[in-house]
mmCIF file of all heavy atoms in Angstrom:
data_model
loop_
_atom_site.group_PDB
_atom_site.id
_atom_site.type_symbol
_atom_site.label_atom_id
_atom_site.label_comp_id
_atom_site.label_asym_id
_atom_site.label_seq_id
_atom_site.Cartn_x
_atom_site.Cartn_y
_atom_site.Cartn_z
ATOM 1 N N ARG A 16 11.501 13.226 8.851
ATOM 2 C CA ARG A 16 10.439 12.318 8.407
ATOM 3 C C ARG A 16 10.929 10.879 8.364
ATOM 4 O O ARG A 16 10.194 9.955 8.691
ATOM 5 C CB ARG A 16 9.933 12.749 7.030
ATOM 6 C CG ARG A 16 9.148 14.048 7.058
ATOM 7 C CD ARG A 16 8.707 14.460 5.667
ATOM 8 N NE ARG A 16 7.892 15.666 5.711
ATOM 9 C CZ ARG A 16 7.491 16.333 4.640
ATOM 10 N NH1 ARG A 16 7.836 15.902 3.435
ATOM 11 N NH2 ARG A 16 6.754 17.412 4.760
ATOM 12 N N ARG A 17 12.183 10.714 7.977
ATOM 13 C CA ARG A 17 12.743 9.379 7.939
ATOM 14 C C ARG A 17 12.763 8.764 9.343
ATOM 15 O O ARG A 17 12.479 7.590 9.534
ATOM 16 C CB ARG A 17 14.152 9.430 7.359
ATOM 17 C CG ARG A 17 14.743 8.044 7.090
ATOM 18 C CD ARG A 17 15.815 7.677 8.071
ATOM 19 N NE ARG A 17 16.405 6.395 7.736
ATOM 20 C CZ ARG A 17 17.425 5.855 8.366
ATOM 21 N NH1 ARG A 17 17.983 6.500 9.377
ATOM 22 N NH2 ARG A 17 17.894 4.677 8.026
ATOM 23 N N GLY A 18 13.087 9.593 10.340
ATOM 24 C CA GLY A 18 13.110 9.110 11.709
ATOM 25 C C GLY A 18 11.757 8.645 12.192
ATOM 26 O O GLY A 18 11.662 7.797 13.074
ATOM 27 N N GLU A 19 10.687 9.181 11.601
ATOM 28 C CA GLU A 19 9.340 8.812 12.007
ATOM 29 C C GLU A 19 8.867 7.516 11.359
ATOM 30 O O GLU A 19 7.880 6.928 11.789
ATOM 31 C CB GLU A 19 8.364 9.945 11.663
ATOM 32 C CG GLU A 19 8.635 11.239 12.416
ATOM 33 C CD GLU A 19 7.875 12.404 11.832
ATOM 34 O OE1 GLU A 19 7.447 12.308 10.669
ATOM 35 O OE2 GLU A 19 7.719 13.425 12.542
ATOM 36 N N SER A 20 9.553 7.099 10.283
ATOM 37 C CA SER A 20 9.044 5.930 9.554
ATOM 38 C C SER A 20 10.141 4.969 9.114
ATOM 39 O O SER A 20 9.932 4.162 8.215
ATOM 40 C CB SER A 20 8.261 6.392 8.319
ATOM 41 O OG SER A 20 9.080 7.172 7.474
ATOM 42 N N ALA A 21 11.327 5.056 9.724
ATOM 43 C CA ALA A 21 12.433 4.194 9.311
ATOM 44 C C ALA A 21 12.202 2.763 9.756
ATOM 45 O O ALA A 21 11.683 2.506 10.847
ATOM 46 C CB ALA A 21 13.745 4.723 9.889
ATOM 47 N N LEU A 22 12.607 1.822 8.920
ATOM 48 C CA LEU A 22 12.511 0.406 9.246
ATOM 49 C C LEU A 22 13.904 -0.162 9.473
ATOM 50 O O LEU A 22 14.899 0.394 9.007
ATOM 51 C CB LEU A 22 11.839 -0.365 8.106
ATOM 52 C CG LEU A 22 10.435 0.066 7.691
ATOM 53 C CD1 LEU A 22 9.942 -0.808 6.549
ATOM 54 C CD2 LEU A 22 9.472 -0.005 8.866
ATOM 55 N N THR A 23 13.971 -1.274 10.171
ATOM 56 C CA THR A 23 15.213 -2.015 10.274
ATOM 57 C C THR A 23 15.370 -2.847 8.997
ATOM 58 O O THR A 23 14.442 -2.940 8.194
ATOM 59 C CB THR A 23 15.179 -2.937 11.506
ATOM 60 O OG1 THR A 23 14.063 -3.825 11.385
ATOM 61 C CG2 THR A 23 15.038 -2.141 12.780
ATOM 62 N N PRO A 24 16.535 -3.462 8.780
ATOM 63 C CA PRO A 24 16.737 -4.200 7.530
ATOM 64 C C PRO A 24 15.701 -5.288 7.296
ATOM 65 O O PRO A 24 15.288 -5.988 8.216
ATOM 66 C CB PRO A 24 18.136 -4.807 7.715
ATOM 67 C CG PRO A 24 18.825 -3.861 8.637
ATOM 68 C CD PRO A 24 17.753 -3.395 9.589
ATOM 69 N N TRP A 25 15.271 -5.387 6.053
ATOM 70 C CA TRP A 25 14.401 -6.474 5.607
ATOM 71 C C TRP A 25 15.066 -7.118 4.394
ATOM 72 O O TRP A 25 15.979 -6.559 3.803
ATOM 73 C CB TRP A 25 13.004 -5.969 5.246
ATOM 74 C CG TRP A 25 12.970 -4.694 4.446
ATOM 75 C CD1 TRP A 25 12.733 -3.433 4.914
ATOM 76 C CD2 TRP A 25 13.203 -4.545 3.031
ATOM 77 N NE1 TRP A 25 12.804 -2.502 3.892
ATOM 78 C CE2 TRP A 25 13.084 -3.171 2.724
ATOM 79 C CE3 TRP A 25 13.496 -5.430 1.998
ATOM 80 C CZ2 TRP A 25 13.259 -2.671 1.424
ATOM 81 C CZ3 TRP A 25 13.668 -4.944 0.709
ATOM 82 C CH2 TRP A 25 13.548 -3.579 0.440
ATOM 83 N N ASP A 26 14.611 -8.306 4.008
ATOM 84 C CA ASP A 26 15.218 -9.024 2.883
ATOM 85 C C ASP A 26 14.321 -9.039 1.643
ATOM 86 O O ASP A 26 14.823 -9.050 0.525
ATOM 87 C CB ASP A 26 15.556 -10.455 3.307
ATOM 88 C CG ASP A 26 16.608 -10.482 4.398
ATOM 89 O OD1 ASP A 26 17.794 -10.288 4.079
ATOM 90 O OD2 ASP A 26 16.243 -10.662 5.571
ATOM 91 N N VAL A 27 13.022 -9.073 1.846
ATOM 92 C CA VAL A 27 12.057 -8.989 0.751
ATOM 93 C C VAL A 27 10.949 -8.046 1.200
ATOM 94 O O VAL A 27 10.482 -8.121 2.341
ATOM 95 C CB VAL A 27 11.443 -10.363 0.406
ATOM 96 C CG1 VAL A 27 10.478 -10.235 -0.786
ATOM 97 C CG2 VAL A 27 12.529 -11.391 0.090
ATOM 98 N N ALA A 28 10.545 -7.144 0.313
ATOM 99 C CA ALA A 28 9.465 -6.210 0.647
ATOM 100 C C ALA A 28 8.495 -6.135 -0.515
ATOM 101 O O ALA A 28 8.885 -6.182 -1.681
ATOM 102 C CB ALA A 28 10.015 -4.821 0.970
ATOM 103 N N ALA A 29 7.206 -6.008 -0.191
ATOM 104 C CA ALA A 29 6.182 -5.865 -1.223
ATOM 105 C C ALA A 29 5.060 -4.989 -0.712
ATOM 106 O O ALA A 29 4.763 -4.959 0.490
ATOM 107 C CB ALA A 29 5.635 -7.229 -1.645
ATOM 108 N N VAL A 30 4.454 -4.252 -1.635
ATOM 109 C CA VAL A 30 3.278 -3.442 -1.353
ATOM 110 C C VAL A 30 2.200 -3.886 -2.322
ATOM 111 O O VAL A 30 2.471 -4.094 -3.516
ATOM 112 C CB VAL A 30 3.560 -1.939 -1.545
ATOM 113 C CG1 VAL A 30 2.372 -1.101 -1.117
ATOM 114 C CG2 VAL A 30 4.800 -1.536 -0.780
ATOM 115 N N GLY A 31 0.963 -4.051 -1.837
ATOM 116 C CA GLY A 31 -0.095 -4.543 -2.704
ATOM 117 C C GLY A 31 -1.415 -3.823 -2.509
ATOM 118 O O GLY A 31 -1.757 -3.427 -1.390
ATOM 119 N N ASP A 32 -2.152 -3.637 -3.595
ATOM 120 C CA ASP A 32 -3.514 -3.091 -3.565
ATOM 121 C C ASP A 32 -4.519 -4.233 -3.564
ATOM 122 O O ASP A 32 -4.390 -5.192 -4.345
ATOM 123 C CB ASP A 32 -3.779 -2.234 -4.808
ATOM 124 C CG ASP A 32 -3.416 -0.762 -4.592
ATOM 125 O OD1 ASP A 32 -2.978 -0.428 -3.496
ATOM 126 O OD2 ASP A 32 -3.576 0.025 -5.541
ATOM 127 N N VAL A 33 -5.522 -4.117 -2.700
ATOM 128 C CA VAL A 33 -6.561 -5.144 -2.582
ATOM 129 C C VAL A 33 -7.918 -4.456 -2.604
ATOM 130 O O VAL A 33 -8.090 -3.389 -2.005
ATOM 131 C CB VAL A 33 -6.402 -5.946 -1.270
ATOM 132 C CG1 VAL A 33 -7.494 -6.999 -1.139
ATOM 133 C CG2 VAL A 33 -5.021 -6.595 -1.206
ATOM 134 N N PHE A 34 -8.882 -5.052 -3.285
ATOM 135 C CA PHE A 34 -10.260 -4.579 -3.199
ATOM 136 C C PHE A 34 -10.865 -5.134 -1.914
ATOM 137 O O PHE A 34 -10.957 -6.350 -1.738
ATOM 138 C CB PHE A 34 -11.089 -5.044 -4.397
ATOM 139 C CG PHE A 34 -10.667 -4.432 -5.701
ATOM 140 C CD1 PHE A 34 -10.330 -5.230 -6.781
ATOM 141 C CD2 PHE A 34 -10.614 -3.055 -5.850
ATOM 142 C CE1 PHE A 34 -9.943 -4.668 -7.982
ATOM 143 C CE2 PHE A 34 -10.222 -2.484 -7.045
ATOM 144 C CZ PHE A 34 -9.891 -3.291 -8.107
ATOM 145 N N ALA A 35 -11.259 -4.265 -0.999
ATOM 146 C CA ALA A 35 -11.796 -4.702 0.287
ATOM 147 C C ALA A 35 -13.035 -5.559 0.080
ATOM 148 O O ALA A 35 -13.955 -5.182 -0.656
ATOM 149 C CB ALA A 35 -12.141 -3.492 1.147
ATOM 150 N N ASP A 36 -13.049 -6.723 0.726
ATOM 151 C CA ASP A 36 -14.188 -7.643 0.646
ATOM 152 C C ASP A 36 -14.527 -8.015 -0.785
ATOM 153 O O ASP A 36 -15.658 -8.392 -1.093
ATOM 154 C CB ASP A 36 -15.433 -7.036 1.317
ATOM 155 C CG ASP A 36 -15.183 -6.719 2.787
ATOM 156 O OD1 ASP A 36 -14.500 -7.537 3.442
ATOM 157 O OD2 ASP A 36 -15.648 -5.678 3.268
ATOM 158 N N GLY A 37 -13.549 -7.874 -1.690
ATOM 159 C CA GLY A 37 -13.781 -8.241 -3.073
ATOM 160 C C GLY A 37 -14.679 -7.300 -3.829
ATOM 161 O O GLY A 37 -15.158 -7.622 -4.905
ATOM 162 N N VAL A 38 -14.944 -6.112 -3.301
ATOM 163 C CA VAL A 38 -15.837 -5.163 -3.962
ATOM 164 C C VAL A 38 -15.029 -3.964 -4.425
ATOM 165 O O VAL A 38 -14.297 -3.355 -3.654
ATOM 166 C CB VAL A 38 -16.954 -4.688 -3.015
ATOM 167 C CG1 VAL A 38 -17.847 -3.682 -3.716
ATOM 168 C CG2 VAL A 38 -17.767 -5.873 -2.538
ATOM 169 N N ALA A 39 -15.173 -3.597 -5.692
ATOM 170 C CA ALA A 39 -14.418 -2.476 -6.237
ATOM 171 C C ALA A 39 -15.225 -1.204 -6.184
ATOM 172 O O ALA A 39 -16.449 -1.217 -6.248
ATOM 173 C CB ALA A 39 -14.038 -2.766 -7.691
ATOM 174 N N ALA A 40 -14.517 -0.082 -6.060
ATOM 175 C CA ALA A 40 -15.170 1.205 -6.238
ATOM 176 C C ALA A 40 -15.589 1.337 -7.691
ATOM 177 O O ALA A 40 -14.898 0.872 -8.586
ATOM 178 C CB ALA A 40 -14.207 2.331 -5.877
ATOM 179 N N THR A 41 -16.727 1.929 -7.957
ATOM 180 C CA THR A 41 -17.206 2.043 -9.326
ATOM 181 C C THR A 41 -17.448 3.490 -9.680
ATOM 182 O O THR A 41 -17.928 4.282 -8.875
ATOM 183 C CB THR A 41 -18.528 1.272 -9.522
ATOM 184 O OG1 THR A 41 -19.486 1.735 -8.570
ATOM 185 C CG2 THR A 41 -18.317 -0.217 -9.321
ATOM 186 N N GLY A 42 -17.093 3.839 -10.896
ATOM 187 C CA GLY A 42 -17.377 5.165 -11.415
ATOM 188 C C GLY A 42 -18.638 5.116 -12.248
ATOM 189 O O GLY A 42 -19.217 4.064 -12.472
ATOM 190 N N SER A 43 -19.073 6.252 -12.723
ATOM 191 C CA SER A 43 -20.250 6.305 -13.576
ATOM 192 C C SER A 43 -19.819 6.548 -15.006
ATOM 193 O O SER A 43 -18.791 7.145 -15.274
ATOM 194 C CB SER A 43 -21.183 7.440 -13.129
ATOM 195 O OG SER A 43 -20.514 8.678 -13.215
ATOM 196 N N THR A 44 -20.596 6.045 -15.950
ATOM 197 C CA THR A 44 -20.317 6.223 -17.359
ATOM 198 C C THR A 44 -21.509 6.880 -18.005
ATOM 199 O O THR A 44 -22.628 6.365 -17.927
ATOM 200 C CB THR A 44 -20.018 4.870 -18.040
ATOM 201 O OG1 THR A 44 -18.937 4.238 -17.361
ATOM 202 C CG2 THR A 44 -19.660 5.071 -19.498
ATOM 203 N N ASP A 45 -21.293 8.036 -18.643
ATOM 204 C CA ASP A 45 -22.416 8.749 -19.232
ATOM 205 C C ASP A 45 -22.754 8.207 -20.618
ATOM 206 O O ASP A 45 -22.148 7.247 -21.098
ATOM 207 C CB ASP A 45 -22.142 10.256 -19.282
ATOM 208 C CG ASP A 45 -20.922 10.600 -20.128
ATOM 209 O OD1 ASP A 45 -20.592 9.812 -21.036
ATOM 210 O OD2 ASP A 45 -20.324 11.669 -19.884
#
């Protein structure tokens, strides 16, 4: 699995969550 997704060296890495088009998924409240 590592061979399928290995990266070369990087110096800074970040992962971020974004609401697409600024719209959030909404749940319901009873």
Side-chain angles (χ1 to χ4, degrees):
R16 290 178 177 172
R17 188 253 183 176
E19 296 167 341
S20 58
L22 302 180
T23 58
W25 43 260
D26 296 283
V27 182
V30 186
D32 270 0
V33 179
F34 293 125
D36 301 321
V38 179
T41 55
S43 60
T44 304
D45 61 26

